[in-house]
Amino acid sequence: MSEAKPISPITRSLIRAMSHPVKGKIIACLGEGLDLTARQIADRSETPLRSVRHHLSQLEKAGVVERSAQERRRGVQENYYRLAVTPVFDAGEYEGLSPSERLRVSTGVLKMCFSDVSVALSGGTFDRRFDRCLAYVRVNVDERGWRELAAMHLKTYEEVERVKAECAERLRSSGEQPIRGVSGVLWFELPA
C-alpha cells in the first residue's frame, strides 16, 4: 500500500471540476493535449460558447487551466487554453482522497468516457477503423497478480501519454488534421 499524500487546493478544484457537467467537458477537451480556444472547446463539447467562457474563467482562477497563447483574428482577441495540472492521481494522492472525492473522480471520468463512446457510436466512428481495440476481460487474481496488472495498466496509460505528447508536437509542426481518439484504461475490483 502507498503512503497517503496531502491534497493541494488546485487538486481539490480539479476534483470538483471533473464531476461538473461543463467543466468536466472542458477538462476532457483540453486533456487531448492541444491548446484550444473557447470556441473550439464549445464546438468539440457541444456546449454553448457563453457557458464554456464562464467556466473557463472559473477554472483559470482556480489554477486548473491556463492561457497558453493569444491571437488576434478579425479584430478579436482569441485566447488559447491548456490544462495547468494533469488530471491524474498517483496511488498516494488517490489514497489521500476521501471516499466521496474518489467517487466524484471515478464518476466524472466514467461519465466522460461513456459520453465519448456514445458520441462515437452515434457518429459511426466507433467501429470505422479495423485496428481499433475493444477488450473486456474478467479475472480472478491473487495479490501479486493484482499488483502486476495494476502496474501494467499504469504503464499502458503512461505510454498513451507519451505518444499523445509526441503527436501533439508533430501535429503542431505539420499542420496535419488530428485523428481524434479515446484510450480508456480500466482496472478495478468487483465485489466478491
Side-chain angles (χ1 to χ4, degrees):
M1 198 152 214
S2 61
E3 187 174 317
K5 294 181 183 176
I7 306 302
S8 72
I10 292 175
T11 300
R12 294 223 185 268
S13 295
L14 175 64
I15 292 166
R16 285 190 297 277
M18 288 173 71
S19 61
H20 186 276
V22 176
K23 292 175 185 170
K25 288 179 181 180
I26 292 169
I27 290 168
C29 288
L30 294 176
E32 291 181 27
L34 302 174
D35 294 1
L36 301 172
T37 65
R39 179 167 302 287
Q40 290 170 322
I41 294 167
D43 291 345
R44 286 177 182 225
S45 65
E46 298 178 351
T47 304
L49 179 59
R50 182 180 200 154
S51 181
V52 168
R53 284 189 175 133
H54 170 74
H55 291 293
L56 269 171
S57 174
Q58 291 181 338
L59 289 169
E60 187 175 23
K61 285 177 189 165
V64 175
V65 302
E66 63 189 8
R67 292 179 201 201
S68 56
Q70 294 182 331
E71 192 175 277
R72 263 195 120 46
R73 285 193 183 173
R74 296 182 216 120
V76 175
Q77 184 75 32
E78 282 196 300
N79 296 308
Y80 285 80
Y81 297 88
R82 67 175 162 224
L83 289 176
V85 293
T86 305
V88 175
F89 306 96
D90 67 26
E93 291 167 321
Y94 203 67
E95 188 175 340
L97 300 178
S98 70
S100 65
E101 288 173 322
R102 291 180 197 173
L103 183 60
R104 285 177 90 168
V105 169
S106 296
T107 302
V109 170
L110 288 170
K111 280 182 182 177
M112 287 186 273
C113 182
F114 293 140
S115 174
D116 285 345
V117 169
S118 178
V119 167
L121 285 169
S122 64
T125 58
F126 192 88
D127 290 312
R128 178 183 295 164
R129 291 177 174 266
F130 299 115
D131 56 352
R132 68 100 169 105
C133 179
L134 177 63
Y136 174 79
V137 181
R138 284 182 166 209
V139 298
N140 291 300
V141 296
D142 57 11
E143 279 297 324
R144 179 177 166 188
W146 176 269
R147 288 189 304 275
E148 288 174 3
L149 287 170
M152 181 193 72
H153 282 78
L154 179 60
K155 188 173 191 87
T156 298
Y157 161 76
E158 290 167 347
E159 282 296 298
V160 169
E161 285 294 324
R162 180 190 61 75
V163 171
K164 182 176 89 172
E166 290 175 1
C167 289
E169 284 299 315
R170 287 197 303 267
L171 288 166
R172 267 192 278 278
S173 63
S174 73
E176 181 183 347
Q177 284 296 317
I179 301 166
R180 295 182 65 216
V182 173
S183 175
V185 182
L186 301 172
W187 176 238
F188 57 93
E189 185 176 357
L190 288 172

